[in-house]
Amino acid sequence: MGFWDFFWLLVWSFFFVAYLMVLFQVLGDLFRDDMSGWFKALWVVALILAPFLSLLIYLVVRGRGMAERQAGSIREMRAQTDAHIRDVASTSSAADQIASAKALLDSGAITSEEFEQIKRKALV
């Protein structure tokens, strides 16, 4: 295998992988979209029968909606991640909660019944 054979193998491999990436993005968008099942089935059949043409048509016709759905999905995942981080970061250990409740009890801010209630809640 000569240099140019290897070069063209790399070029065609690159285009094939790029095609697969776009194809999977379109398939993911098809099933994320709220169009009817029949239209989804027609797009999948078109992607099988005329892959390059139907892929190009899909990107031209539905590209803006595809980008908006992707951005919405990213915003939703980011909000879930932020909520999870806030939940994990804000929870203190049971020992920390009991120690702060003991400090409040010693300062007279809470009663011993409230201290016991906080202690039971922290240990659960």
Side-chain angles (χ1 to χ4, degrees):
M1 178 187 278
F3 171 75
W4 289 109
D5 292 334
F6 181 70
F7 174 77
W8 286 112
L9 176 68
L10 285 177
V11 169
W12 285 111
S13 299
F14 170 79
F15 284 120
F16 181 69
V17 170
Y19 165 73
L20 288 178
M21 290 175 64
V22 173
L23 178 67
F24 287 123
Q25 283 287 335
V26 166
L27 286 173
D29 183 64
L30 269 174
F31 293 105
R32 191 179 312 126
D33 196 4
D34 59 351
M35 73 171 83
S36 76
W38 290 107
F39 286 122
K40 290 178 185 182
L42 285 173
W43 274 113
V44 170
V45 169
L47 286 168
I48 292 170
L49 295 179
F52 295 111
L53 181 63
S54 59
L55 193 65
L56 183 64
I57 291 171
Y58 188 87
L59 290 175
V60 169
V61 172
R62 303 193 47 86
R64 181 180 303 263
M66 185 176 171
E68 290 170 358
R69 284 184 290 280
Q70 181 71 20
S73 175
I74 290 171
R75 278 192 302 273
E76 181 180 326
M77 284 188 287
R78 182 174 294 168
Q80 289 175 355
T81 301
D82 290 346
H84 174 71
I85 290 171
R86 275 193 300 276
D87 288 344
V88 171
S90 67
T91 58
S92 56
S93 68
D96 293 337
Q97 291 177 359
I98 293 172
S100 64
K102 179 67 174 154
L104 289 172
L105 178 66
D106 292 341
S107 71
I110 60 172
T111 64
S112 60
E113 294 84 22
E114 291 172 325
F115 172 73
E116 291 300 323
Q117 187 180 29
I118 292 172
K119 193 165 83 171
R120 277 193 305 270
K121 191 175 184 182
L123 294 175
V124 173

